[in-house]
Amino acid sequence: MAIARDPSVVLDCPDAAALATFYAALLDWKVEPQDGWVDIRAENGQLFSFQQVDGYTTPTWPTQGVPQQFHIDVMVDDLDVGEAAVLELGATKHEYQPGTTFRVFLDPAGHPFCLCAG
């Protein structure tokens, strides 16, 4: 028996509207501003939320000085095409790339995320 339903991922960040706009463009989801934060939602109802935090500190992945705490994997058909698209949206490719079937990027707030071949 489930205790809860409809989970949501909430990302802390320095600018909720800007980071929500980045991920909405990446995933082709709808932006839904809320009081105090911004949601993005897929057509199937899947939801990510972005909460603005004063004094936000960017993760220092791959070191653990400021742990990443989580990351998002996004499946793409072509890593090169996906890379060009996320760089155009404002992501940064991380200098450390530990694999060949995925690529690590930092979103505009510094959260690591991966584009994965699939």
Side-chain angles (χ1 to χ4, degrees), residues 1-6:
M1 176 166 111
I3 296 171
R5 63 179 182 78
D6 301 329

Side-chain angles (χ1 to χ4, degrees), residues 19 22-23 26 58-59 61-62 72 82-98 102-115:
L19 196 58
F22 170 83
Y23 278 105
L26 172 65
T58 301
W61 183 89
I72 297 169
E83 178 174 329
V86 298
L87 293 174
E88 185 174 324
L89 290 172
T92 304
K93 188 174 182 180
H94 199 284
E95 62 185 40
Y96 178 63
Q97 296 294 321
F102 63 95
R103 295 184 188 160
V104 182
F105 298 87
L106 304 176
D107 70 23
H111 299 108
F113 72 97
C114 297
L115 295 183

Side-chain angles (χ1 to χ4, degrees), residues 8 13 18 26 47 59 76 89 99 106 109:
S8 174
C13 56
L26 172 65
L47 178 72
V76 295
L89 290 172
L106 304 176

Side-chain angles (χ1 to χ4, degrees), residues 5-109:
R5 63 179 182 78
D6 301 329
S8 174
V9 173
V10 179
L11 286 77
D12 290 349
C13 56
D15 184 338
L19 196 58
T21 299
F22 170 83
Y23 278 105
L26 172 65
L27 300 169
D28 194 25
W29 290 11
K30 180 182 174 189
V31 177
E32 299 175 347
Q34 305 295 321
D35 186 27
W37 69 17
V38 181
D39 293 333
I40 61 170
R41 187 179 307 271
E43 287 183 16
N44 68 4
Q46 190 173 359
L47 178 72
F48 284 174
S49 300
F50 302 86
Q51 175 176 270
Q52 192 154 318
V53 175
D54 292 334
Y56 172 80
T57 303
T58 301
T60 58
W61 183 89
T63 70
Q64 293 299 304
V66 179
Q68 69 181 4
Q69 301 172 3
F70 80 98
H71 72 276
I72 297 169
D73 285 344
V74 178
M75 303 305 288
V76 295
D77 293 327
D78 183 305
L79 286 172
D80 293 331
V81 171
E83 178 174 329
V86 298
L87 293 174
E88 185 174 324
L89 290 172
T92 304
K93 188 174 182 180
H94 199 284
E95 62 185 40
Y96 178 63
Q97 296 294 321
T100 59
T101 60
F102 63 95
R103 295 184 188 160
V104 182
F105 298 87
L106 304 176
D107 70 23

